[in-house]
Amino acid sequence: MLNKHFPKGAKPLLLALAVSSSFAQADPLREILDENTLLIGSAMMTDHIAEKKFAEVLKTEFNLLTPENEMKWSYIQPQRGVYDFSKADKLVEFAEKNGMEVRGHALVWHIQNPEWLEEGEFTREELLEILEEHIKTVAGHYKGRIKYWDVVNEALDDAGGWRETIWYKGIGEEYIAKAFQWAHEADPDALLYYNDYSTEGTTPKANAAYRLVKQLQEQGVPIHGAGTQLHLISGDILRTANIAANIERHEELGLEYHFTEVDIRIQGEATDRSLAEQASMYEELMKLALHYEAVNVFTTWGLTDKYSWIPWWFNGWDHGLLLDKQYEPKPAYHAVQAQMELKRDGKFEWQPPVRIESDNRYVQAFVSPEAPKALSLNNDASVWADATFYPFAFNQLEGRDQRLPSDQEISGKFAVMYKGNTLYGRVEREDNITVNTAEPDYENDSVEVFLRSGKDEPFVQYRAIVGQDFGPQGYDATAKGVWHDDGKVFEFAITPNFVDTLAGKTWGFNIALSDNDKAGTEHGQRSSQLYPVTGTNSGYLGEDFAEIFFPGQNLEISAVPFENPYTFKAVEVQISGEPGSYKPMEWLNTYHYSFAFNQLDRRDMSPPAQSDLNGSWQVGYQGNVLYGVVHRHDDVTVTNHEHDYENDNVEVFLKVGEQFVQLRSIVGQDFQDSSFPGKRVAKWNDDGTVMSFAIELPLESLAGERIGFNIALADTDDVSTGRSAQLYPVPGTNAGYLGEELTVLDFVR
Ligand code: XIL
């Protein structure tokens, strides 16, 4: 595995194919490492262990078990004061009989509660009594037999605020400290955990979870660690450096950190490729677990894909576990096993990657994965299957109006990869009229690539007119560009001679697609010059550079960005009338940007055809109010889906200091509630083509401020298949809801 930050998975597949798919060749997982180093766990129900094969594989491979459901309230206290331990007991007996530890799950949660509790009306005092009795009864029942307890599960919401659960609403945040206290009184030897999901990195929610356990510890509450669930998506980007940083800060508090519910789900069929991606993510998690002493539990949320919660909860997804539906080990199993063996044999040398400094760096710009081999520029599209295509997203020729032109006129996308010291690129372009014989050169249709090896280093601008190689440049590099398919495809290779490898470097980078339809007429000037970033078309002066990352195993990525490539600008506006009302005249001076990146497709972030969905946005400010307008053209508007986020909507993401919020407005509706301070309003016109908003921010005045920001346009066309696109003005993995991948909004004075 060479590619730590952005696992693409080619390697684990090869690895996996080399190993036969039977268990027999190597030790079962539980035999590889001693119990103090790492317990390897699984979750299950009593029905599952009644199946011979299941019980057999479970006890052979795992030395820890978590009852998947049968210690939850609805099972264990189905009627008030009536406890039913019959199922949970069976699992604990199974564990004891087979030398396994137990992670009890969970003493306090907001779902899978019995009806009497959900529907009853209780005073605060009554709720406290109910909770105390339950915890003491259950933890007391298993005194001395359960090593670890998830005492409180999922008390935080996605933005890191308190989740509005029955316990929080009825008792207040003190329910958490009390729950730990009571569990400790009932079983003083049990180790007690706070467990949650999306808490593994350094997002606002992860930070809130960390602060919670730290605060409990400071208050003298008996807490021994935190659990992070890790219900992940195959093909997602694991932010390994952030996960490492988070484990480290728990380790510094002397707390344990458990991986409690790992599964990595796949959409649709499990292909060689998705299984390989899954394996690389499992491998990465296992490396973290093996590297950090604090991580002494690694539990997968189930044993075999035959029995998994995934298809029930995530329509269309499955295949998340280490064993397939026939109990056969998957590539992920072998990947995990191989790492554990390295550890056993004293050959585990992995170090977590160095963290990308996030101060003043918001979206991580373009990523160049390492190519498996040196590439020939012969238009072999399959070579590019592992790279990410980014759209050309902003027209830098029209001053503040940076929107994309009509896709009937011009559109394009590019991908980059590196091998050694060569940067490879592929551009695909659709153009109605190609001009390549005009004078001067820059008025021809072309691709331009801008590179710079460091902030104060010389830069280069390579230009390849459609049909021609790069023009020569006085830069210490060899560069070659080749066109294919009548100007629809361009491939290039640039090899700077002054470095041995690009691995681990961050360089200045930009790429432009130039379009000129009117050459030779009196309007003979470029109609558009599209870049993947905002700017003023001054790349030729060495300005407006974006960044390109060349990740390599454990290699530091430069902590100093060239500049923030995605800085969106809000100018002062004079808004009159009702907040949220829209008068076009008041917006003439503002910057205007497209929703250009579809973050739902991690291989190709190009937006859908404009006839399907096309959107743009403008923002401005006055005092401490952020004003905005969203323009939207959508062929089918859906607002009746049961999940809010699968309705057509606009979301605004804001981070002011440590305060983060995601504000959602479904087409035709105001912003949904949130605890973010201040007033706000969103208004739609009748046909859903214009939404305008006003949001008071917790700052005195916005002039000169810079805040974390993003904005998204979600599109669903067919309720049964869910969202078809979620467009942002920047690339990313649709993790905005966690406060990740924000960009900067600059309130220009
Ligand atoms: C899930 C179980 O796997 C399902 O069988 C059940 O229907 C719902 O709960 N986070 C948790 C687990 O802490 O308890 C959940 O388990 C999955 C998400």
Side-chain angles (χ1 to χ4, degrees):
M1 284 300 303
L2 290 162
N3 189 331
K4 294 304 87 188
H5 283 279
F6 306 94
K8 297 295 182 197
K11 298 271 156 97
L13 176 63
L14 298 179
L15 236 185
L17 291 177
V19 182
S20 123
S21 70
S22 93
F23 288 108
Q25 307 211 337
D27 289 334
L29 299 182
R30 71 176 280 180
E31 310 268 303
I32 303 173
L33 297 169
D34 74 88
E35 290 164 19
N36 298 322
T37 306
L38 188 70
L39 288 168
I40 178 104
S42 178
M44 76 299 300
M45 312 259 290
T46 47
D47 281 355
H48 304 150
I49 57 167
E51 187 176 310
K52 222 175 129 213
K53 175 87 175 174
F54 191 104
E56 191 55 40
V57 176
L58 176 63
K59 69 182 184 209
T60 313
E61 294 286 329
F62 295 88
N63 48 12
L64 173 75
L65 69 75
T66 305
E68 182 175 352
N69 288 301
E70 289 156 332
M71 282 184 185
K72 293 172 183 170
W73 280 63
S74 59
Y75 285 84
I76 234 163
Q77 199 188 162
Q79 304 298 325
R80 185 164 181 189
V82 178
Y83 289 84
D84 178 359
F85 294 107
S86 56
K87 296 200 156 150
D89 281 354
K90 278 199 189 140
L91 295 177
V92 174
E93 282 156 19
F94 183 93
E96 287 170 340
K97 208 169 120 208
N98 296 297
M100 304 167 81
E101 300 289 356
V102 179
R103 278 194 101 257
H105 174 83
L107 294 172
V108 192
W109 198 24
H110 63 285
I111 48 181
Q112 290 185 286
N113 281 326
E115 235 176 82
W116 66 265
L117 177 62
E118 293 268 331
E119 266 142 48
E121 304 241 320
F122 303 105
T123 64
R124 182 170 189 274
E125 286 317 303
E126 283 169 330
L127 267 182
L128 281 164
E129 262 168 49
I130 289 170
L131 188 59
E132 177 173 5
E133 185 206 278
H134 180 91
I135 292 176
K136 288 190 170 166
T137 307
V138 178
H141 178 83
Y142 291 111
K143 185 167 189 272
R145 299 172 72 195
I146 289 189
K147 182 160 180 180
Y148 311 103
W149 267 113
D150 281 334
V151 178
V152 177
N153 197 30
E154 302 180 359
L156 297 169
D157 66 22
D158 286 345
W162 295 115
R163 189 184 287 279
E164 299 270 334
T165 69
I166 169 170
W167 307 111
Y168 179 74
K169 285 191 282 193
I171 300 175
E173 61 185 84
E174 313 85 86
Y175 82 88
I176 298 175
K178 289 194 189 300
F180 277 89
Q181 223 98 47
W182 291 327
H184 183 65
E185 283 168 35
D187 187 354
D189 292 330
L191 301 175
L192 309 180
Y193 297 77
Y194 173 71
N195 190 49
D196 211 329
Y197 64 89
S198 299
T199 50
E200 68 272 18
T202 49
T203 58
K205 182 173 183 178
N207 294 344
Y210 165 74
R211 286 196 301 271
L212 171 62
V213 298
K214 182 166 184 273
Q215 191 189 33
L216 290 170
Q217 196 190 40
E218 281 163 6
Q219 290 166 356
V221 172
I223 179 164
H224 304 98
T228 197
Q229 298 180 4
L230 297 163
H231 297 292
L232 304 178
I233 293 178
S234 182
D236 257 4
I237 292 170
L238 265 189
R239 291 170 170 79
T240 307
N242 294 357
I243 303 175
N246 186 44
I247 297 170
E248 276 167 31
R249 63 183 170 177
H250 284 83
E251 211 163 50
E252 278 161 26
L253 299 180
L255 292 171
E256 291 182 5
Y257 202 75
H258 290 182
F259 292 175
T260 54
E261 306 183 13
V262 184
D263 49 28
I264 304 181
R265 61 185 179 272
I266 289 171
Q267 193 168 25
E269 290 305 304
T271 59
D272 284 352
R273 178 179 185 153
S274 58
L275 289 171
E277 280 172 344
Q278 177 184 60
S280 80
M281 289 173 74
Y282 263 107
E283 177 181 288
E284 191 87 349
L285 292 178
M286 183 49 81
K287 285 174 171 170
L288 283 158
L290 296 173
H291 178 78
Y292 289 105
E293 252 176 63
V295 184
N296 54 357
V297 162
F298 187 116
T299 294
T300 55
W301 204 239
L303 175 79
T304 149
D305 292 334
K306 188 174 177 187
Y307 304 113
S308 159
W309 76 308
I310 293 171
W312 305 99
W313 276 72
F314 305 99
N315 214 344
W317 298 77
D318 202 353
H319 312 291
L321 296 162
L322 295 176
L323 308 180
D324 70 13
K325 291 180 198 284
Q326 281 74 47
Y327 293 91
E328 284 299 316
K330 291 155 67 178
Y333 175 95
H334 296 296
V336 158
Q337 185 182 52
Q339 292 304 315
M340 294 172 79
E341 285 174 347
L342 287 177
K343 178 83 173 181
R344 176 196 59 199
D345 302 341
K347 292 183 186 148
F348 179 78
E349 278 163 14
W350 183 81
Q351 294 286 326
V354 177
R355 211 173 155 202
I356 299 169
E357 275 315 316
S358 54
D359 284 356
N360 288 321
R361 166 179 267 149
Y362 287 76
V363 163
Q364 301 173 10
F366 308 100
V367 178
S368 173
E370 185 164 11
K373 54 177 186 349
L375 309 184
S376 50
L377 306 181
N378 62 357
N379 195 16
D380 176 0
S382 70
V383 173
W384 292 92
D386 280 328
T388 299
F389 279 88
Y390 303 100
F392 290 95
F394 299 96
N395 180 11
Q396 295 196 3
L397 282 192
E398 302 290 333
R400 294 185 180 189
D401 185 355
Q402 308 218 336
R403 281 176 299 168
L404 282 169
S406 155
D407 60 5
Q408 300 302 304
E409 208 178 289
I410 180 83
S411 68
K413 61 186 181 184
F414 74 95
V416 279
M417 277 203 272
Y418 78 95
K419 178 76 187 166
N421 62 343
T422 301
L423 169 66
Y424 295 95
R426 178 178 169 96
V427 174
E428 294 178 11
R429 113 188 214 292
E430 292 286 342
D431 187 7
N432 60 340
I433 303 169
T434 292
V435 170
N436 58 3
T437 52
E439 301 268 349
D441 274 358
Y442 65 84
E443 299 216 346
N444 286 300
D445 292 358
S446 72
V447 167
E448 291 175 346
V449 180
F450 302 82
L451 271 183
R452 169 181 247 167
S453 61
K455 222 176 162 68
D456 302 314
E457 299 301 321
F459 74 94
V460 65
Q461 170 185 18
Y462 287 108
R463 178 185 299 123
I465 295 172
V466 176
Q468 302 175 27
D469 194 355
F470 284 131
Q473 294 291 336
Y475 192 65
D476 186 14
T478 51
K480 180 153 190 61
V482 181
W483 289 88
H484 306 279
D485 291 355
D486 259 355
K488 282 186 188 307
V489 174
F490 175 64
E491 292 188 331
F492 64 85
I494 299 173
T495 311
N497 299 317
F498 51 93
V499 289
D500 295 334
T501 177
L502 293 167
K505 301 207 159 48
T506 301
W507 278 25
F509 167 78
N510 218 340
I511 186 162
L513 184 63
S514 213
D515 191 32
N516 179 4
D517 292 348
K518 302 192 191 87
T521 73
E522 56 183 306
H523 304 289
Q525 46 183 292
R526 271 168 302 176
S527 29
S528 45
Q529 175 99 357
L530 306 183
Y531 293 80
V533 290
T534 61
T536 55
N537 197 31
S538 39
Y540 73 100
L541 296 172
E543 306 240 2
D544 290 339
F545 271 69
E547 293 170 291
I548 188 168
F549 293 170
F550 302 98
Q553 182 167 13
N554 302 336
L555 289 174
E556 182 168 8
I557 285 176
S558 158
V560 184
F562 283 79
E563 62 183 280
N564 286 313
Y566 284 104
T567 305
F568 296 98
K569 292 188 192 306
V571 296
E572 193 162 19
V573 285
Q574 298 301 326
I575 300 292
S576 58
E578 284 279 290
S581 63
Y582 170 58
K583 296 182 191 147
M585 288 303 287
E586 296 173 345
W587 291 88
L588 290 180
N589 256 336
T590 61
Y591 286 80
H592 202 159
Y593 304 106
S594 292
F595 288 99
F597 296 84
N598 181 11
Q599 294 198 4
L600 287 191
D601 186 339
R602 295 191 174 80
R603 299 286 169 212
D604 186 346
M605 297 189 197
S606 306
Q610 288 173 359
S611 54
D612 175 4
L613 180 71
N614 182 16
S616 65
W617 56 281
Q618 297 165 274
V619 284
Y621 72 96
Q622 204 176 324
N624 71 339
V625 181
L626 166 67
Y627 289 94
V629 186
V630 170
H631 307 268
R632 158 183 180 279
H633 293 280
D634 186 8
D635 56 342
V636 185
T637 294
V638 169
T639 55
N640 61 352
H641 196 283
E642 53 173 325
H643 298 150
D644 285 345
Y645 63 85
E646 301 209 26
N647 284 311
D648 290 358
N649 68 59
V650 168
E651 290 173 340
V652 179
F653 304 83
L654 300 166
K655 191 164 178 216
V656 182
E658 271 296 285
Q659 265 173 320
F660 163 71
V661 72
Q662 168 188 20
L663 297 170
R664 179 186 296 127
S665 158
I666 294 174
V667 175
Q669 302 175 27
D670 198 354
F671 284 126
Q672 293 170 346
D673 278 349
S674 90
S675 58
F676 197 67
K679 287 193 240 153
R680 59 192 151 263
V681 62
K683 285 222 172 100
W684 288 86
N685 69 346
D686 291 342
D687 63 4
T689 55
V690 180
M691 178 260 213
S692 49
F693 62 85
I695 303 169
E696 211 173 79
L697 294 181
L699 287 168
E700 251 167 45
S701 151
L702 295 176
E705 293 284 349
R706 289 161 75 89
I707 64 167
F709 173 79
N710 218 339
I711 187 162
L713 183 63
D715 190 30
T716 297
D717 288 342
D718 175 353
V719 186
S720 65
T721 53
R723 264 173 310 182
S724 49
Q726 175 110 6
L727 304 185
Y728 293 79
V730 290
T733 62
N734 200 29
Y737 74 100
L738 293 171
E740 296 258 34
E741 298 172 344
L742 295 177
T743 170
V744 182
L745 187 57
D746 187 359
F747 295 96
V748 184
R749 218 194 277 272

